[in-house]
Amino acid sequence: MIGRRKFFGVAAASVAVAHTVHGELAQAADAVARSTSPGQAADAMDKLARVAPRGMQGRHVRLGTLDLESQQDFTMAFRRMQAAQIRKASMAALDRLLEAEGLDPATPLTKDQMRELVMKDPAINIASKTWIANQQVTWKTLYDHYHGNYDRYMSELESADKAGPGALVLAPQMAIPDYLRHEIHIQPGGYVGDPFAGYVYQYGTNSFYVGNRGHNEQDEIHRAAAARMPLPKDGKVKRILDMGCGIGQFTAALKQRFPDAEVWGVDVGGPMVRYAHMRASKLGIGANFAQKLAEDTGFPDGHFDIVTSYIMHHEVTAAGTLAIIDEARRVTRSGGVYYPLDFNTGGTQMPAHQMYGRWWDHRWNNEVWSFEYHSVPFNEEIGKRGFSEVKGAAPLLQGFGVRHFVRSA
Amino acid sequence: MAAPDPKRPTYTAEAIPSDVKNGLFLGNPALDNLMSCMIAMGAEVWATKRRLHVMEAVMAQKGIEADRDRFVDLTLGPLANEAYRPVGSNFPKR
């Protein structure tokens, strides 16, 4: 008989022992090492095979079951096909609608005009429905797996809470503003409502990256952005702050680039920073994480040499964005760098193809505040708040806005 | 699915649910549901197919001749037994 455990269990166990040192898994691995008879060893191996992850590929922890990995593999492939074919068909439908209405595609439209134009078109609705259904399968399969193995994953988080090399600060009594409690990307529970939000986000966004910017299982995209982070003129980088850090991929990448610096990632989502800390700890990266609001970090004035954020601002209100820029000014030292990485802002009216994508993302991907973000003349507002813009700077990532600012004296 | 243990802190807060799940796109709730079913079914079919691919790869790597021979010996090996004697006549009486 060919048993799955026979082929995968032993290999997974050896990888797990090498990479993971926490809780239930460590106990199971220890029991294997201490076994003194074949019977004991068999029992211990059986227990280890039940709790061990399925190994790692670089820093990518393989999903807990082959079925779940395959479901994610399917939804990733569907996402790519949807973008290349179904979405393309919906764009052709949009062109037909524009022609029927006698509208020049270059004419700027508002999101309300776009909604009225496209809401009843069958090809556009098929594109919307298929994308949403696929996104729901992505989230639901992940959500069900983590909640179906509640004790295993909660134990993993708990056993890592006090692990080093970095610190974790959680704030269970924190009042979370309503505007930050939405289910962004229709992820169940969003970033604040699901104890396993970090796990679910990590694997759900892996397929987003493959479909949009390339593989990121090894944090390739975050590390590429961190590698381009400009330094203050004096070259001194002792402390770095990553605002709205999510699961800490950018924070960890910054710590790896600046190993001697004290690096902090802050995020409103307790489950997100908890997972960020666990992941960084397991990778041996000494970044620190705290559950805090980006607009109220509590750090001393002028504390940081570099203040940054990775695609956070389009998830907050216009007022939130301005308050966050004010906080960045407060905590950035004179001559320090402020680089909030996010999409180019384009206002609230734009040509039809662009507006279709933006409205669609706002409405069906539940990017609740994206139009508020686009309503803010971002660089101009930063320039009004104690920063001077470095002209001719390169983007940290192609296709994103250039936001290289220096804190004025 | 096990119920969460209220004694274990989760550091969560109540989320505001998205209304996207209530959108009707195809003119009939049955059609919308069927489309959702089709995509979910696609994920399940692919999971099964991928499992078969893994098994095929493992079999190609490990070979199954030994297991096949064990299987044939266990199930059809008894056909070679020629030592039978009728139990009602000259079979040893004990």
Side-chain angles (χ1 to χ4, degrees):
Chain A
M1 176 185 167
I2 299 174
R4 180 174 169 273
R5 182 168 299 161
K6 182 178 172 186
F7 291 116
F8 295 108
V10 174
S14 61
V15 175
V17 171
H19 288 282
T20 313
V21 291
H22 298 299
E24 195 179 22
L25 180 59
Q27 288 171 19
D30 191 46
V32 174
R34 285 188 288 99
S35 59
T36 54
S37 70
Q40 262 188 16
D43 288 348
M45 282 301 291
D46 188 56
K47 164 83 172 162
L48 183 57
R50 275 185 279 122
V51 300
R54 295 170 56 246
M56 295 173 80
Q57 293 155 336
R59 63 174 55 186
H60 172 68
V61 178
R62 291 186 66 190
L63 281 161
T65 68
L66 179 63
D67 277 358
L68 181 59
E69 187 177 88
S70 302
Q71 288 155 347
Q72 298 304 304
D73 191 48
F74 173 86
T75 58
M76 182 270 290
F78 186 90
R79 187 187 300 272
R80 289 168 79 164
M81 183 281 285
Q82 204 271 355
Q85 298 179 41
I86 302 177
R87 186 66 171 250
K88 197 172 166 190
S90 79
M91 291 302 257
L94 175 60
D95 286 336
R96 289 196 298 272
L97 288 170
L98 291 169
E99 194 177 349
E101 296 292 325
L103 288 168
D104 181 346
T107 305
L109 299 176
T110 65
K111 71 176 168 63
D112 294 336
Q113 289 171 317
M114 178 55 62
R115 183 178 58 244
E116 290 307 310
L117 188 64
V118 302
M119 278 293 263
K120 291 177 183 167
D121 185 87
I124 285 174
N125 281 342
I126 286 273
S128 301
K129 177 66 194 180
T130 51
W131 188 93
I132 292 166
N134 189 62
Q135 182 87 330
Q136 288 171 324
V137 172
T138 301
W139 293 135
K140 180 172 167 51
T141 46
L142 289 165
Y143 184 95
D144 286 354
H145 173 76
Y146 290 105
H147 284 265
N149 294 278
Y150 192 94
D151 181 63
R152 170 178 162 187
Y153 291 109
M154 188 54 73
S155 297
E156 186 178 40
L157 287 167
E158 287 167 347
S159 62
D161 282 346
K162 290 187 168 52
L168 172 65
V169 180
L170 289 159
Q173 306 305 321
M174 178 179 170
I176 295 175
D178 281 354
Y179 87 85
L180 292 168
R181 297 193 292 112
H182 289 277
E183 292 182 323
I184 302 289
H185 311 144
I186 65 173
Q187 179 178 335
Y191 302 160
V192 301
D194 176 15
F196 302 121
Y199 292 92
V200 173
Y201 175 91
Q202 165 107 61
Y203 292 97
T205 53
N206 277 349
S207 73
F208 160 80
Y209 275 111
V210 171
N212 289 275
R213 300 193 71 85
H215 281 278
N216 195 43
E217 289 88 345
Q218 309 301 326
D219 298 340
E220 294 95 325
I221 292 164
H222 295 87
R223 286 190 286 145
R228 296 193 189 102
M229 178 63 74
L231 302 180
K233 238 178 190 173
D234 58 16
K236 288 180 187 166
V237 182
K238 288 183 183 167
R239 299 190 196 93
I240 300 173
L241 174 62
D242 178 18
M243 298 170 131
C245 67
I247 61 166
Q249 290 163 294
F250 194 44
T251 325
L254 288 164
K255 177 64 182 176
Q256 285 191 294
R257 181 176 166 202
F258 301 99
D260 297 329
E262 178 185 326
V263 181
W264 281 91
V266 300
D267 198 282
V268 68
M272 298 291 271
V273 290
R274 200 180 189 196
Y275 179 85
H277 169 76
M278 179 190 77
R279 183 169 185 264
S281 293
K282 288 188 176 187
L283 293 171
I285 299 170
N288 307 299
F289 294 94
Q291 185 183 8
K292 289 170 184 268
L293 289 172
E295 54 265 57
D296 182 19
T297 64
F299 290 109
D301 292 357
H303 194 62
F304 292 100
D305 304 284
I306 296 175
V307 174
T308 186
S309 56
Y310 181 93
I311 321 184
M312 169 192 67
H313 276 277
H314 73 280
E315 309 291 14
V316 304
T317 57
T321 271
L322 298 179
I324 290 167
I325 298 169
D326 283 337
E327 178 69 351
R329 175 188 55 192
R330 189 185 68 74
V331 298
T332 306
R333 68 151 166 106
S334 174
V337 166
Y338 178 44
Y339 202 123
L341 170 65
D342 212 311
F343 303 114
N344 280 305
T345 48
T348 53
Q349 290 190 43
M350 56 203 75
H353 282 204
Q354 206 181 340
M355 177 52 84
Y356 172 57
R358 192 150 290 165
W359 165 77
W360 196 96
D361 202 36
H362 162 71
R363 187 62 190 90
W364 301 128
N365 198 23
N366 210 35
E367 293 281 28
V368 179
W369 306 115
S370 59
F371 276 94
E372 291 222 9
Y373 169 69
H374 287 290
S375 75
V376 176
F378 205 58
N379 287 23
E380 197 181 312
E381 289 294 340
I382 297 171
K384 285 182 196 167
R385 288 172 157 73
F387 292 102
S388 53
E389 187 173 359
V390 176
K391 299 293 180 189
L396 292 190
L397 288 178
Q398 286 302 325
F400 286 87
V402 178
R403 306 272 161 65
H404 181 185
F405 288 85
V406 173
R407 176 78 167 90
S408 311
Chain B
M1 204 171 282
D5 180 350
K7 289 180 191 158
R8 302 172 85 169
T10 60
Y11 307 99
T12 53
E14 195 178 344
I16 298 170
S18 154
D19 63 358
V20 171
K21 60 184 173 295
N22 302 325
L24 178 67
F25 294 90
L26 306 181
N28 181 330
L31 287 178
D32 272 64
N33 286 340
L34 277 173
M35 181 65 81
S36 296
C37 293
M38 274 179 57
I39 290 173
M41 197 65 78
E44 293 305 297
V45 170
W46 178 242
T48 305
K49 286 198 74 169
R50 199 159 175 258
R51 185 172 288 277
L52 289 174
H53 283 302
V54 170
M55 294 302 288
E56 285 167 2
V58 168
M59 286 192 288
Q61 188 187 349
K62 298 265 181 184
I64 57 168
E65 290 78 7
D67 194 52
R68 180 201 58 205
D69 293 347
R70 182 202 59 78
F71 171 82
V72 170
D73 181 59
L74 176 73
T75 55
L76 301 174
L79 292 173
N81 188 355
E82 294 177 344
Y84 289 119
R85 282 178 288 167
V87 295
S89 53
N90 57 351
F91 206 79
K93 295 181 174 57
R94 288 183 192 145

